[in-house]
Structures are given as structure tokens and as C-alpha cells.
Amino acid sequence: MSLMERKTAKKKDEILKSALSVLAEKGYHGTTMEDIANHLLMTKGSIYYYFKGKQDLVFQSQIKILNQSIQNVEEVKEKDLTIDEKLKTVIIRHIEYSLHEKSGFLLMVNPAEIFSEEQLTKIIQLREQYASCYDSLIEEGIEAGYFAVDNISIARNILLGAMNWVTQWYSADGELDEQAFAASVVDYIMRIVKK
């Protein structure tokens, strides 16, 4: 990647992060490009240089989050850990990442309300790819005798639902920081699959 490409990518990331906080606060439909530009102390034209509009901005943020989430799982799967430790580590990484990227995760709730059919197809494809990462971990855990699961897709959806919901009720002002919180929550979530 050239220096110019790296600078462009960095600027896009900065815009995404800041814009997502406005979108999470005001809601997708309650936020205008003017609001985003004002928050960033930029002109709307400057934002349009990097993104086609609000929908494109949110779409690119979702693609980035999903790709990073998949990469996080793949990295853990390569580690020399028991399947039990791998699933725990993946859950902790997901929780920490969702809290770090809270604004982006909050916008994932109803993608059909925001995206075009083509964009929605891509989002669903990546979500399914991410879900299949969990399916393979759970299946491996069943085969190794660590997990007792009759229906992998139901267990996975309960896991993901619990992990994604933490963005709704975790408070940075609480007793635990993100790492301690994730470590505490993982013990409860693992009970869904463990014997």
C-alpha cells in the first residue's frame, strides 16, 4: 500500500469512527450528512470525497467490522489451544471488539432498513461466514467431547445474541474495565455449550 493509500485509509477510518458515534446517538434516520460534517469539523464535500453518502458510510463500517470479526476468529483458530480455550478466546475477542466499536455494532441491528439489496446481500454473506466460524468451533468441541450441543445453529445464535447484547448494557463507568468484563461474561456464555 502506497503512502497516499495509507493516508486515505487512515482518514476514512477517522471519519467512520467519528460519524458512527453521531449515528449511534441520533439514529440512522435522525442523522444528516450535515450533522456528521459538523461533528467532524469538515465540509460535507470533504466527506463526499471519501464516501458516497450516509448509507455508503454505514455500509463500509459494517463491512470493516465484519471482516475484522472474521479475521479475529481465524487468528484464534490458528493458535495452539484446546477447542474449549479457542471458543473462550473468540468470545472474549468478540466482546472486547464490540465494546471498542460499540457505535458500529449498534448500527448492525436492522440492516434491511438501511442498505440496498446488493449491500444487504454482502452484509448477510459476511454474517453467514462469521456464523460458520462459530459452527466449526462448536462442532469441533462436540467431537472432542468438550461441548454438549444438539443443535449447533441454535447454540451459535444464542452465543452471538448474548455476545452482541453486551453493547446494550455494559457501562464503562461500571466496576469492570472491558477486559475484566469480557473475562467475566465468557464464563456464563460458555455454559451454553459446555457439558
Side-chain angles (χ1 to χ4, degrees):
M1 189 183 285
S2 72
L3 178 61
M4 184 60 158
E5 288 170 328
R6 285 197 308 271
K7 282 184 176 180
T8 299
K10 184 177 181 211
K11 187 64 178 175
K12 283 179 82 169
D13 280 348
E14 289 169 4
I15 292 170
L16 282 174
K17 194 168 204 66
S18 188
L20 289 176
S21 67
V22 176
L23 286 157
E25 180 185 324
K26 293 184 156 195
Y28 179 80
H29 298 292
T31 305
T32 65
M33 287 297 280
E34 187 77 33
D35 295 329
I36 294 167
N38 288 341
H39 184 73
L40 290 162
L41 303 176
M42 294 175 71
T43 64
K44 282 194 298 184
S46 297
I47 296 173
Y48 282 117
Y49 174 79
Y50 297 97
F51 302 97
K52 294 174 189 169
K54 181 172 65 169
Q55 182 187 50
D56 181 48
L57 195 150
V58 175
F59 175 69
Q60 288 192 40
S61 77
Q62 299 304 293
I63 295 298
K64 180 182 173 206
I65 286 172
L66 286 163
N67 281 326
Q68 184 61 55
S69 296
I70 292 165
Q71 183 180 331
N72 289 346
V73 175
E74 295 301 331
E75 287 172 4
V76 172
K77 286 171 93 173
E78 297 299 315
K79 293 183 180 231
D80 185 25
L81 301 168
T82 65
I83 188 60
D84 185 46
E85 292 167 330
K86 283 181 184 181
L87 185 59
K88 273 180 151 175
T89 304
V90 163
I91 291 169
I92 288 171
R93 274 199 165 180
H94 179 99
I95 292 169
E96 289 176 353
Y97 185 55
S98 69
L99 294 176
H100 185 260
E101 297 293 336
K102 183 177 180 177
S103 298
F105 272 82
L106 291 173
L107 288 168
M108 289 181 145
V109 178
N110 292 311
E113 292 180 5
I114 298 174
F115 301 121
S116 68
E117 191 173 321
E118 182 182 336
Q119 290 171 326
L120 190 57
T121 299
K122 180 67 176 168
I123 295 286
I124 290 169
Q125 176 189 36
L126 287 171
R127 282 183 171 194
E128 287 173 354
Q129 186 179 344
Y130 188 57
S132 73
C133 293
Y134 283 85
D135 291 350
S136 65
L137 287 169
I138 294 169
E139 188 172 350
E140 188 179 335
I142 293 167
E143 290 170 6
Y146 281 99
F147 305 149
V149 173
D150 293 328
N151 188 312
I152 292 174
S153 62
I154 289 175
R156 175 243 302 145
N157 285 334
I158 293 170
L159 284 173
L160 289 172
M163 293 183 321
N164 288 330
W165 199 250
V166 299
T167 58
Q168 299 290 327
W169 53 270
Y170 171 75
S171 171
D173 298 329
E175 297 174 11
L176 303 173
D177 64 17
E178 289 177 9
Q179 291 78 25
F181 173 76
S184 177
V185 170
V186 75
D187 292 330
Y188 291 98
I189 292 178
M190 287 296 291
R191 293 177 193 174
I192 296 166
V193 295
K194 288 190 87 167
K195 281 189 170 181

